[in-house]
Amino acid sequence: MISQQSTLTDGVILLRCLEQGDTQSHLAGEDADQVRWASGGTSTAETVARWIAENRREWLTGGPRRNFGVFDAETDELAGNAEAHLALDGLAAGEVNLSYVTFPTHRGRGIATRTVISSSAAGCPKLSGAWSRTQRSRSNSAAADWEYFGSARR
């Protein structure tokens, strides 16, 4: 299993567990679409710090969530995040839910696609294999990279 200190890169993006030092970058990247579709409310430094700590605990304890910060590999700028949930209600046996966010300044550059491919190759040993189905949210036409992938076979 990949630890919270591990990183994975394809040379364009880099995936790693978020750290407390990423809090302000995460806040700066949040927009109305992210609030609506992913976080469920406008974040504060306190809520982001708590969320990062929870994600790090999940990695350390082998919990069912694997959250990655998605960084521009060249600039080390936070471009979004992705989360694989290995035990979410409604998933069939052997499926994993993968959700992700691409920040507005990084949309339209293929980062979301790279995130999905890298995530499935990466950190969640249970996330490799063929995609069983894909569900994309098209209700948000303003954000081309804002898509949700339903489940992947593990």
Side-chain angles (χ1 to χ4, degrees):
M1 173 180 8
I2 287 186
S3 74
Q4 66 175 340
Q5 289 82 25
S6 297
T7 61
L8 176 79
T9 186
D10 68 357
V12 175
I13 65 167
L14 179 138
L15 304 179
R16 69 166 168 78
C17 189
L18 290 169
E19 301 168 353
Q20 292 301 325
D22 299 316
T23 299
Q24 292 303 315
S25 295
H26 181 83
L27 284 170
E30 186 175 272
D31 69 345
D33 292 325
Q34 181 178 341
V35 169
R36 178 178 178 206
W37 294 103
S39 63
T42 303
S43 299
T44 66
E46 182 180 297
T47 61
V48 171
R50 186 172 43 246
W51 176 72
I52 289 172
E54 290 168 6
N55 291 331
R56 294 182 71 79
R57 269 192 300 282
E58 289 283 325
W59 279 100
L60 285 171
T61 63
R65 290 185 302 116
R66 301 289 181 273
N67 191 289
F68 299 94
V70 180
F71 294 82
D72 181 304
E74 186 175 319
T75 66
D76 201 36
E77 183 179 357
L78 184 60
N81 64 68
E83 180 174 286
H85 204 301
L86 310 176
L88 193 63
D89 287 344
L91 291 179
E95 290 185 334
V96 173
N97 185 73
L98 179 63
S99 58
Y100 58 88
V101 170
T102 303
F103 294 154
T105 55
H106 291 83
R107 292 182 185 148
R109 299 185 350 202
I111 289 175
T113 301
R114 288 179 174 280
T115 298
V116 172
I117 292 168
S118 295
S119 296
S120 64
C124 313
K126 298 177 181 178
L127 188 59
S128 60
W131 294 100
S132 63
R133 61 187 162 151
T134 301
Q135 300 171 340
R136 297 181 184 198
S137 172
R138 295 290 184 202
S139 60
N140 180 6
S141 59
D145 271 355
W146 195 278
E147 300 171 343
Y148 289 94
F149 282 76
S151 303
R153 289 269 173 221
R154 47 179 154 149

